[in-house]
Amino acid sequence: MHQIKTDNIWVQIGGELPALKDVSLFVRRDYCGAVNLFEGVTRNHDSGKQVTMLLYDSYDEMALHQCEKILDEAMQEFPAGAAAILHKTGRVPVGEVSMIVAVSTPHRKESTEAVLSIIKKIKKDVPIWKKEFFGGESEGAKWKGS
Amino acid sequence: MSSVTESRTEPRLITLELKWFSVLAEQRGTRKESFQIEPGVTCSELIDRLSADFLMLKQYRDYVRLAVNREYANPGLKLQDGDEVAFITPVSGG
């Protein structure tokens, strides 16, 4: 597990995810009226196929660095009171959480925009990959996007 | 009779640490390896060189990004001895 935890930024790649309430408490600030928590969850289908599990691979050290940069940008841009990205690696079965993104801002609109902005950047630049395992016989598994 | 000693200096090679992930790691059969190459080679040239006998990388030629020492690098960046070079296929985190 790789982690950066400062007063207002928390990044974790790999390991078990913390409880959502602990992430919420981390980002909460007295001057922030909005705390926005996002959970990415493995769903049971994709492109018409049954999915049973996702397997995440990661370039841990770079992913940690990229997520830190994304959160630094969010802190400046919105601005956020505190922000966090926590991402599992390895196996994540259907119904389990693979990622948590959390942001606090003074007002609700910015908190939603900040979460969406962070997720968009994660999906573009953070070196983490998912492999989908399909439920049908002989359907096997495939790296997403490959 | 005079003799001339022929002096040849082999070009010094630089050593890179290559890192592979996801589909490329599976196909390569490893996640990291040392690789020696002549100085002055760029990121783009390294991809071309490796693609010659790594067909999966060739398939990703137009999509793969290189990260050098954990930062995304421009294709024209010249590689240095000791660089950590990772091949980043389209990512899919989240």
PDB file of all heavy atoms in Angstrom, chain B residues 7-38:
ATOM      1  N   SER B   7      43.075   1.362 -32.149  1.00  0.00           N
ATOM      2  CA  SER B   7      42.310   1.641 -30.936  1.00  0.00           C
ATOM      3  C   SER B   7      40.853   1.879 -31.295  1.00  0.00           C
ATOM      4  O   SER B   7      40.533   2.789 -32.044  1.00  0.00           O
ATOM      5  CB  SER B   7      42.886   2.853 -30.208  1.00  0.00           C
ATOM      6  OG  SER B   7      42.069   3.198 -29.132  1.00  0.00           O
ATOM      7  N   ARG B   8      40.031   1.031 -30.818  1.00  0.00           N
ATOM      8  CA  ARG B   8      38.602   1.234 -31.057  1.00  0.00           C
ATOM      9  C   ARG B   8      37.891   1.399 -29.728  1.00  0.00           C
ATOM     10  O   ARG B   8      38.112   0.627 -28.812  1.00  0.00           O
ATOM     11  CB  ARG B   8      37.998   0.034 -31.776  1.00  0.00           C
ATOM     12  CG  ARG B   8      38.360  -0.050 -33.232  1.00  0.00           C
ATOM     13  CD  ARG B   8      37.647  -1.210 -33.862  1.00  0.00           C
ATOM     14  NE  ARG B   8      38.000  -1.293 -35.273  1.00  0.00           N
ATOM     15  CZ  ARG B   8      37.679  -2.320 -36.037  1.00  0.00           C
ATOM     16  NH1 ARG B   8      37.025  -3.345 -35.527  1.00  0.00           N
ATOM     17  NH2 ARG B   8      38.010  -2.345 -37.309  1.00  0.00           N
ATOM     18  N   THR B   9      37.085   2.389 -29.671  1.00  0.00           N
ATOM     19  CA  THR B   9      36.307   2.588 -28.448  1.00  0.00           C
ATOM     20  C   THR B   9      34.857   2.215 -28.711  1.00  0.00           C
ATOM     21  O   THR B   9      34.214   2.805 -29.571  1.00  0.00           O
ATOM     22  CB  THR B   9      36.383   4.060 -27.990  1.00  0.00           C
ATOM     23  OG1 THR B   9      37.739   4.422 -27.875  1.00  0.00           O
ATOM     24  CG2 THR B   9      35.674   4.235 -26.666  1.00  0.00           C
ATOM     25  N   GLU B  10      34.422   1.191 -28.038  1.00  0.00           N
ATOM     26  CA  GLU B  10      33.019   0.809 -28.184  1.00  0.00           C
ATOM     27  C   GLU B  10      32.140   1.917 -27.625  1.00  0.00           C
ATOM     28  O   GLU B  10      32.469   2.501 -26.597  1.00  0.00           O
ATOM     29  CB  GLU B  10      32.744  -0.483 -27.405  1.00  0.00           C
ATOM     30  CG  GLU B  10      33.414  -1.715 -27.976  1.00  0.00           C
ATOM     31  CD  GLU B  10      32.840  -2.116 -29.321  1.00  0.00           C
ATOM     32  OE1 GLU B  10      31.628  -1.905 -29.514  1.00  0.00           O
ATOM     33  OE2 GLU B  10      33.603  -2.604 -30.158  1.00  0.00           O
ATOM     34  N   PRO B  11      31.077   2.245 -28.312  1.00  0.00           N
ATOM     35  CA  PRO B  11      30.187   3.268 -27.746  1.00  0.00           C
ATOM     36  C   PRO B  11      29.628   2.789 -26.406  1.00  0.00           C
ATOM     37  O   PRO B  11      29.234   1.644 -26.261  1.00  0.00           O
ATOM     38  CB  PRO B  11      29.073   3.389 -28.794  1.00  0.00           C
ATOM     39  CG  PRO B  11      29.136   2.136 -29.593  1.00  0.00           C
ATOM     40  CD  PRO B  11      30.555   1.667 -29.552  1.00  0.00           C
ATOM     41  N   ARG B  12      29.685   3.660 -25.433  1.00  0.00           N
ATOM     42  CA  ARG B  12      29.191   3.286 -24.112  1.00  0.00           C
ATOM     43  C   ARG B  12      27.669   3.161 -24.163  1.00  0.00           C
ATOM     44  O   ARG B  12      26.996   3.998 -24.759  1.00  0.00           O
ATOM     45  CB  ARG B  12      29.596   4.350 -23.092  1.00  0.00           C
ATOM     46  CG  ARG B  12      29.425   3.911 -21.646  1.00  0.00           C
ATOM     47  CD  ARG B  12      29.955   5.005 -20.727  1.00  0.00           C
ATOM     48  NE  ARG B  12      29.094   6.183 -20.744  1.00  0.00           N
ATOM     49  CZ  ARG B  12      27.998   6.325 -20.000  1.00  0.00           C
ATOM     50  NH1 ARG B  12      27.647   5.371 -19.175  1.00  0.00           N
ATOM     51  NH2 ARG B  12      27.274   7.422 -20.064  1.00  0.00           N
ATOM     52  N   LEU B  13      27.169   2.145 -23.610  1.00  0.00           N
ATOM     53  CA  LEU B  13      25.718   1.956 -23.595  1.00  0.00           C
ATOM     54  C   LEU B  13      25.138   2.506 -22.299  1.00  0.00           C
ATOM     55  O   LEU B  13      25.812   2.530 -21.268  1.00  0.00           O
ATOM     56  CB  LEU B  13      25.382   0.465 -23.713  1.00  0.00           C
ATOM     57  CG  LEU B  13      25.813  -0.210 -24.997  1.00  0.00           C
ATOM     58  CD1 LEU B  13      25.508  -1.697 -24.938  1.00  0.00           C
ATOM     59  CD2 LEU B  13      25.153   0.425 -26.211  1.00  0.00           C
ATOM     60  N   ILE B  14      23.893   2.936 -22.375  1.00  0.00           N
ATOM     61  CA  ILE B  14      23.192   3.333 -21.164  1.00  0.00           C
ATOM     62  C   ILE B  14      22.232   2.208 -20.781  1.00  0.00           C
ATOM     63  O   ILE B  14      21.803   1.425 -21.630  1.00  0.00           O
ATOM     64  CB  ILE B  14      22.420   4.657 -21.329  1.00  0.00           C
ATOM     65  CG1 ILE B  14      21.338   4.542 -22.413  1.00  0.00           C
ATOM     66  CG2 ILE B  14      23.370   5.800 -21.639  1.00  0.00           C
ATOM     67  CD1 ILE B  14      20.396   5.726 -22.474  1.00  0.00           C
ATOM     68  N   THR B  15      21.954   2.137 -19.499  1.00  0.00           N
ATOM     69  CA  THR B  15      21.048   1.092 -19.008  1.00  0.00           C
ATOM     70  C   THR B  15      19.757   1.723 -18.523  1.00  0.00           C
ATOM     71  O   THR B  15      19.770   2.651 -17.709  1.00  0.00           O
ATOM     72  CB  THR B  15      21.708   0.304 -17.858  1.00  0.00           C
ATOM     73  OG1 THR B  15      22.927  -0.270 -18.339  1.00  0.00           O
ATOM     74  CG2 THR B  15      20.783  -0.810 -17.369  1.00  0.00           C
ATOM     75  N   LEU B  16      18.658   1.212 -19.051  1.00  0.00           N
ATOM     76  CA  LEU B  16      17.331   1.688 -18.648  1.00  0.00           C
ATOM     77  C   LEU B  16      16.639   0.604 -17.834  1.00  0.00           C
ATOM     78  O   LEU B  16      16.888  -0.587 -18.043  1.00  0.00           O
ATOM     79  CB  LEU B  16      16.478   1.997 -19.882  1.00  0.00           C
ATOM     80  CG  LEU B  16      17.084   2.925 -20.928  1.00  0.00           C
ATOM     81  CD1 LEU B  16      16.170   2.999 -22.143  1.00  0.00           C
ATOM     82  CD2 LEU B  16      17.312   4.320 -20.350  1.00  0.00           C
ATOM     83  N   GLU B  17      15.766   1.020 -16.935  1.00  0.00           N
ATOM     84  CA  GLU B  17      14.898   0.050 -16.270  1.00  0.00           C
ATOM     85  C   GLU B  17      13.508   0.175 -16.895  1.00  0.00           C
ATOM     86  O   GLU B  17      12.837   1.201 -16.752  1.00  0.00           O
ATOM     87  CB  GLU B  17      14.802   0.289 -14.756  1.00  0.00           C
ATOM     88  CG  GLU B  17      13.963  -0.799 -14.088  1.00  0.00           C
ATOM     89  CD  GLU B  17      13.759  -0.603 -12.586  1.00  0.00           C
ATOM     90  OE1 GLU B  17      14.190   0.440 -12.052  1.00  0.00           O
ATOM     91  OE2 GLU B  17      13.164  -1.489 -11.970  1.00  0.00           O
ATOM     92  N   LEU B  18      13.117  -0.844 -17.635  1.00  0.00           N
ATOM     93  CA  LEU B  18      11.810  -0.828 -18.293  1.00  0.00           C
ATOM     94  C   LEU B  18      10.757  -1.406 -17.356  1.00  0.00           C
ATOM     95  O   LEU B  18      11.004  -2.406 -16.670  1.00  0.00           O
ATOM     96  CB  LEU B  18      11.848  -1.656 -19.578  1.00  0.00           C
ATOM     97  CG  LEU B  18      12.945  -1.327 -20.582  1.00  0.00           C
ATOM     98  CD1 LEU B  18      12.761  -2.151 -21.857  1.00  0.00           C
ATOM     99  CD2 LEU B  18      12.990   0.159 -20.906  1.00  0.00           C
ATOM    100  N   LYS B  19       9.580  -0.774 -17.336  1.00  0.00           N
ATOM    101  CA  LYS B  19       8.490  -1.259 -16.486  1.00  0.00           C
ATOM    102  C   LYS B  19       7.261  -1.509 -17.347  1.00  0.00           C
ATOM    103  O   LYS B  19       6.884  -0.675 -18.187  1.00  0.00           O
ATOM    104  CB  LYS B  19       8.171  -0.256 -15.369  1.00  0.00           C
ATOM    105  CG  LYS B  19       9.408   0.085 -14.523  1.00  0.00           C
ATOM    106  CD  LYS B  19       9.057   0.633 -13.170  1.00  0.00           C
ATOM    107  CE  LYS B  19       8.657  -0.456 -12.221  1.00  0.00           C
ATOM    108  NZ  LYS B  19       8.750  -0.114 -10.806  1.00  0.00           N
ATOM    109  N   TRP B  20       6.655  -2.660 -17.148  1.00  0.00           N
ATOM    110  CA  TRP B  20       5.491  -3.077 -17.938  1.00  0.00           C
ATOM    111  C   TRP B  20       4.300  -3.303 -17.006  1.00  0.00           C
ATOM    112  O   TRP B  20       4.478  -3.806 -15.886  1.00  0.00           O
ATOM    113  CB  TRP B  20       5.805  -4.383 -18.670  1.00  0.00           C
ATOM    114  CG  TRP B  20       7.037  -4.356 -19.500  1.00  0.00           C
ATOM    115  CD1 TRP B  20       8.268  -4.856 -19.172  1.00  0.00           C
ATOM    116  CD2 TRP B  20       7.182  -3.798 -20.810  1.00  0.00           C
ATOM    117  NE1 TRP B  20       9.155  -4.649 -20.185  1.00  0.00           N
ATOM    118  CE2 TRP B  20       8.526  -4.004 -21.216  1.00  0.00           C
ATOM    119  CE3 TRP B  20       6.312  -3.142 -21.687  1.00  0.00           C
ATOM    120  CZ2 TRP B  20       9.006  -3.583 -22.443  1.00  0.00           C
ATOM    121  CZ3 TRP B  20       6.806  -2.714 -22.918  1.00  0.00           C
ATOM    122  CH2 TRP B  20       8.125  -2.939 -23.287  1.00  0.00           C
ATOM    123  N   PHE B  21       3.120  -2.979 -17.521  1.00  0.00           N
ATOM    124  CA  PHE B  21       1.902  -3.144 -16.720  1.00  0.00           C
ATOM    125  C   PHE B  21       0.774  -3.709 -17.584  1.00  0.00           C
ATOM    126  O   PHE B  21       0.834  -3.651 -18.817  1.00  0.00           O
ATOM    127  CB  PHE B  21       1.463  -1.791 -16.134  1.00  0.00           C
ATOM    128  CG  PHE B  21       2.508  -1.174 -15.244  1.00  0.00           C
ATOM    129  CD1 PHE B  21       3.428  -0.277 -15.751  1.00  0.00           C
ATOM    130  CD2 PHE B  21       2.604  -1.543 -13.905  1.00  0.00           C
ATOM    131  CE1 PHE B  21       4.418   0.267 -14.936  1.00  0.00           C
ATOM    132  CE2 PHE B  21       3.582  -1.001 -13.089  1.00  0.00           C
ATOM    133  CZ  PHE B  21       4.488  -0.100 -13.607  1.00  0.00           C
ATOM    134  N   SER B  22      -0.241  -4.158 -16.933  1.00  0.00           N
ATOM    135  CA  SER B  22      -1.492  -4.645 -17.535  1.00  0.00           C
ATOM    136  C   SER B  22      -1.215  -5.564 -18.725  1.00  0.00           C
ATOM    137  O   SER B  22      -0.469  -6.538 -18.606  1.00  0.00           O
ATOM    138  CB  SER B  22      -2.423  -3.473 -17.886  1.00  0.00           C
ATOM    139  OG  SER B  22      -1.946  -2.720 -18.972  1.00  0.00           O
ATOM    140  N   VAL B  23      -1.806  -5.238 -19.872  1.00  0.00           N
ATOM    141  CA  VAL B  23      -1.746  -6.157 -21.010  1.00  0.00           C
ATOM    142  C   VAL B  23      -0.308  -6.351 -21.491  1.00  0.00           C
ATOM    143  O   VAL B  23       0.081  -7.458 -21.904  1.00  0.00           O
ATOM    144  CB  VAL B  23      -2.674  -5.643 -22.151  1.00  0.00           C
ATOM    145  CG1 VAL B  23      -2.183  -4.318 -22.714  1.00  0.00           C
ATOM    146  CG2 VAL B  23      -2.812  -6.674 -23.235  1.00  0.00           C
ATOM    147  N   LEU B  24       0.503  -5.305 -21.412  1.00  0.00           N
ATOM    148  CA  LEU B  24       1.893  -5.435 -21.872  1.00  0.00           C
ATOM    149  C   LEU B  24       2.708  -6.324 -20.930  1.00  0.00           C
ATOM    150  O   LEU B  24       3.560  -7.098 -21.381  1.00  0.00           O
ATOM    151  CB  LEU B  24       2.547  -4.054 -22.015  1.00  0.00           C
ATOM    152  CG  LEU B  24       1.958  -3.153 -23.110  1.00  0.00           C
ATOM    153  CD1 LEU B  24       2.691  -1.813 -23.150  1.00  0.00           C
ATOM    154  CD2 LEU B  24       2.015  -3.823 -24.475  1.00  0.00           C
ATOM    155  N   ALA B  25       2.464  -6.220 -19.627  1.00  0.00           N
ATOM    156  CA  ALA B  25       3.180  -7.075 -18.663  1.00  0.00           C
ATOM    157  C   ALA B  25       2.822  -8.544 -18.888  1.00  0.00           C
ATOM    158  O   ALA B  25       3.691  -9.426 -18.835  1.00  0.00           O
ATOM    159  CB  ALA B  25       2.853  -6.658 -17.236  1.00  0.00           C
ATOM    160  N   GLU B  26       1.541  -8.790 -19.145  1.00  0.00           N
ATOM    161  CA  GLU B  26       1.126 -10.175 -19.393  1.00  0.00           C
ATOM    162  C   GLU B  26       1.807 -10.737 -20.627  1.00  0.00           C
ATOM    163  O   GLU B  26       2.294 -11.868 -20.635  1.00  0.00           O
ATOM    164  CB  GLU B  26      -0.400 -10.233 -19.579  1.00  0.00           C
ATOM    165  CG  GLU B  26      -1.175 -10.162 -18.286  1.00  0.00           C
ATOM    166  CD  GLU B  26      -2.668 -10.382 -18.486  1.00  0.00           C
ATOM    167  OE1 GLU B  26      -3.130 -10.433 -19.653  1.00  0.00           O
ATOM    168  OE2 GLU B  26      -3.362 -10.482 -17.473  1.00  0.00           O
ATOM    169  N   GLN B  27       1.848  -9.941 -21.673  1.00  0.00           N
ATOM    170  CA  GLN B  27       2.450 -10.423 -22.917  1.00  0.00           C
ATOM    171  C   GLN B  27       3.974 -10.527 -22.818  1.00  0.00           C
ATOM    172  O   GLN B  27       4.578 -11.433 -23.377  1.00  0.00           O
ATOM    173  CB  GLN B  27       2.080  -9.480 -24.064  1.00  0.00           C
ATOM    174  CG  GLN B  27       0.626  -9.563 -24.462  1.00  0.00           C
ATOM    175  CD  GLN B  27       0.286 -10.894 -25.111  1.00  0.00           C
ATOM    176  OE1 GLN B  27       1.043 -11.413 -25.927  1.00  0.00           O
ATOM    177  NE2 GLN B  27      -0.846 -11.466 -24.741  1.00  0.00           N
ATOM    178  N   ARG B  28       4.576  -9.598 -22.086  1.00  0.00           N
ATOM    179  CA  ARG B  28       6.032  -9.581 -21.956  1.00  0.00           C
ATOM    180  C   ARG B  28       6.515 -10.684 -21.013  1.00  0.00           C
ATOM    181  O   ARG B  28       7.652 -11.121 -21.076  1.00  0.00           O
ATOM    182  CB  ARG B  28       6.472  -8.208 -21.430  1.00  0.00           C
ATOM    183  CG  ARG B  28       7.961  -7.918 -21.515  1.00  0.00           C
ATOM    184  CD  ARG B  28       8.403  -7.683 -22.937  1.00  0.00           C
ATOM    185  NE  ARG B  28       9.795  -7.227 -23.006  1.00  0.00           N
ATOM    186  CZ  ARG B  28      10.444  -7.044 -24.153  1.00  0.00           C
ATOM    187  NH1 ARG B  28       9.843  -7.271 -25.302  1.00  0.00           N
ATOM    188  NH2 ARG B  28      11.710  -6.641 -24.156  1.00  0.00           N
ATOM    189  N   GLY B  29       5.622 -11.065 -20.077  1.00  0.00           N
ATOM    190  CA  GLY B  29       5.990 -12.104 -19.114  1.00  0.00           C
ATOM    191  C   GLY B  29       6.819 -11.589 -17.964  1.00  0.00           C
ATOM    192  O   GLY B  29       7.387 -12.370 -17.196  1.00  0.00           O
ATOM    193  N   THR B  30       6.902 -10.279 -17.837  1.00  0.00           N
ATOM    194  CA  THR B  30       7.638  -9.678 -16.717  1.00  0.00           C
ATOM    195  C   THR B  30       7.122  -8.270 -16.481  1.00  0.00           C
ATOM    196  O   THR B  30       6.493  -7.685 -17.366  1.00  0.00           O
ATOM    197  CB  THR B  30       9.155  -9.631 -17.001  1.00  0.00           C
ATOM    198  OG1 THR B  30       9.834  -9.179 -15.832  1.00  0.00           O
ATOM    199  CG2 THR B  30       9.482  -8.697 -18.149  1.00  0.00           C
ATOM    200  N   ARG B  31       7.383  -7.729 -15.298  1.00  0.00           N
ATOM    201  CA  ARG B  31       6.947  -6.368 -14.992  1.00  0.00           C
ATOM    202  C   ARG B  31       8.106  -5.384 -15.039  1.00  0.00           C
ATOM    203  O   ARG B  31       7.885  -4.174 -15.088  1.00  0.00           O
ATOM    204  CB  ARG B  31       6.275  -6.318 -13.609  1.00  0.00           C
ATOM    205  CG  ARG B  31       4.945  -7.066 -13.597  1.00  0.00           C
ATOM    206  CD  ARG B  31       4.313  -7.098 -12.237  1.00  0.00           C
ATOM    207  NE  ARG B  31       3.822  -5.810 -11.796  1.00  0.00           N
ATOM    208  CZ  ARG B  31       2.633  -5.292 -12.161  1.00  0.00           C
ATOM    209  NH1 ARG B  31       1.845  -5.951 -12.975  1.00  0.00           N
ATOM    210  NH2 ARG B  31       2.253  -4.125 -11.707  1.00  0.00           N
ATOM    211  N   LYS B  32       9.338  -5.898 -14.993  1.00  0.00           N
ATOM    212  CA  LYS B  32      10.480  -4.982 -15.144  1.00  0.00           C
ATOM    213  C   LYS B  32      11.680  -5.741 -15.671  1.00  0.00           C
ATOM    214  O   LYS B  32      11.823  -6.948 -15.451  1.00  0.00           O
ATOM    215  CB  LYS B  32      10.802  -4.265 -13.842  1.00  0.00           C
ATOM    216  CG  LYS B  32      11.324  -5.126 -12.730  1.00  0.00           C
ATOM    217  CD  LYS B  32      11.704  -4.251 -11.542  1.00  0.00           C
ATOM    218  CE  LYS B  32      12.300  -5.097 -10.424  1.00  0.00           C
ATOM    219  NZ  LYS B  32      12.732  -4.290  -9.280  1.00  0.00           N
ATOM    220  N   GLU B  33      12.518  -4.985 -16.372  1.00  0.00           N
ATOM    221  CA  GLU B  33      13.722  -5.580 -16.940  1.00  0.00           C
ATOM    222  C   GLU B  33      14.741  -4.474 -17.198  1.00  0.00           C
ATOM    223  O   GLU B  33      14.369  -3.310 -17.405  1.00  0.00           O
ATOM    224  CB  GLU B  33      13.408  -6.309 -18.241  1.00  0.00           C
ATOM    225  CG  GLU B  33      12.870  -5.413 -19.331  1.00  0.00           C
ATOM    226  CD  GLU B  33      12.405  -6.195 -20.560  1.00  0.00           C
ATOM    227  OE1 GLU B  33      13.270  -6.625 -21.329  1.00  0.00           O
ATOM    228  OE2 GLU B  33      11.178  -6.362 -20.735  1.00  0.00           O
ATOM    229  N   SER B  34      15.999  -4.849 -17.203  1.00  0.00           N
ATOM    230  CA  SER B  34      17.047  -3.904 -17.593  1.00  0.00           C
ATOM    231  C   SER B  34      17.220  -3.984 -19.107  1.00  0.00           C
ATOM    232  O   SER B  34      17.084  -5.057 -19.696  1.00  0.00           O
ATOM    233  CB  SER B  34      18.372  -4.258 -16.912  1.00  0.00           C
ATOM    234  OG  SER B  34      18.307  -3.966 -15.548  1.00  0.00           O
ATOM    235  N   PHE B  35      17.519  -2.836 -19.699  1.00  0.00           N
ATOM    236  CA  PHE B  35      17.664  -2.797 -21.155  1.00  0.00           C
ATOM    237  C   PHE B  35      18.784  -1.828 -21.496  1.00  0.00           C
ATOM    238  O   PHE B  35      18.787  -0.694 -21.025  1.00  0.00           O
ATOM    239  CB  PHE B  35      16.349  -2.344 -21.800  1.00  0.00           C
ATOM    240  CG  PHE B  35      16.333  -2.426 -23.296  1.00  0.00           C
ATOM    241  CD1 PHE B  35      16.171  -3.639 -23.945  1.00  0.00           C
ATOM    242  CD2 PHE B  35      16.488  -1.278 -24.062  1.00  0.00           C
ATOM    243  CE1 PHE B  35      16.160  -3.714 -25.326  1.00  0.00           C
ATOM    244  CE2 PHE B  35      16.477  -1.341 -25.448  1.00  0.00           C
ATOM    245  CZ  PHE B  35      16.307  -2.567 -26.079  1.00  0.00           C
ATOM    246  N   GLN B  36      19.731  -2.292 -22.309  1.00  0.00           N
ATOM    247  CA  GLN B  36      20.852  -1.429 -22.695  1.00  0.00           C
ATOM    248  C   GLN B  36      20.653  -0.926 -24.113  1.00  0.00           C
ATOM    249  O   GLN B  36      20.217  -1.672 -25.002  1.00  0.00           O
ATOM    250  CB  GLN B  36      22.163  -2.200 -22.574  1.00  0.00           C
ATOM    251  CG  GLN B  36      22.534  -2.486 -21.123  1.00  0.00           C
ATOM    252  CD  GLN B  36      23.970  -2.881 -20.968  1.00  0.00           C
ATOM    253  OE1 GLN B  36      24.467  -3.731 -21.703  1.00  0.00           O
ATOM    254  NE2 GLN B  36      24.655  -2.283 -20.019  1.00  0.00           N
ATOM    255  N   ILE B  37      21.022   0.331 -24.292  1.00  0.00           N
ATOM    256  CA  ILE B  37      20.833   0.969 -25.599  1.00  0.00           C
ATOM    257  C   ILE B  37      21.851   2.099 -25.711  1.00  0.00           C
ATOM    258  O   ILE B  37      22.379   2.568 -24.693  1.00  0.00           O
ATOM    259  CB  ILE B  37      19.372   1.485 -25.729  1.00  0.00           C
ATOM    260  CG1 ILE B  37      18.994   1.714 -27.181  1.00  0.00           C
ATOM    261  CG2 ILE B  37      19.130   2.712 -24.854  1.00  0.00           C
ATOM    262  CD1 ILE B  37      17.498   1.861 -27.396  1.00  0.00           C
ATOM    263  N   GLU B  38      22.110   2.519 -26.952  1.00  0.00           N
ATOM    264  CA  GLU B  38      23.114   3.571 -27.136  1.00  0.00           C
ATOM    265  C   GLU B  38      22.592   4.916 -26.621  1.00  0.00           C
ATOM    266  O   GLU B  38      21.378   5.150 -26.621  1.00  0.00           O
ATOM    267  CB  GLU B  38      23.532   3.686 -28.600  1.00  0.00           C
ATOM    268  CG  GLU B  38      22.435   4.046 -29.562  1.00  0.00           C
ATOM    269  CD  GLU B  38      21.714   2.816 -30.109  1.00  0.00           C
ATOM    270  OE1 GLU B  38      21.739   1.744 -29.475  1.00  0.00           O
ATOM    271  OE2 GLU B  38      21.091   2.952 -31.159  1.00  0.00           O
TER     272      GLU B  38
END
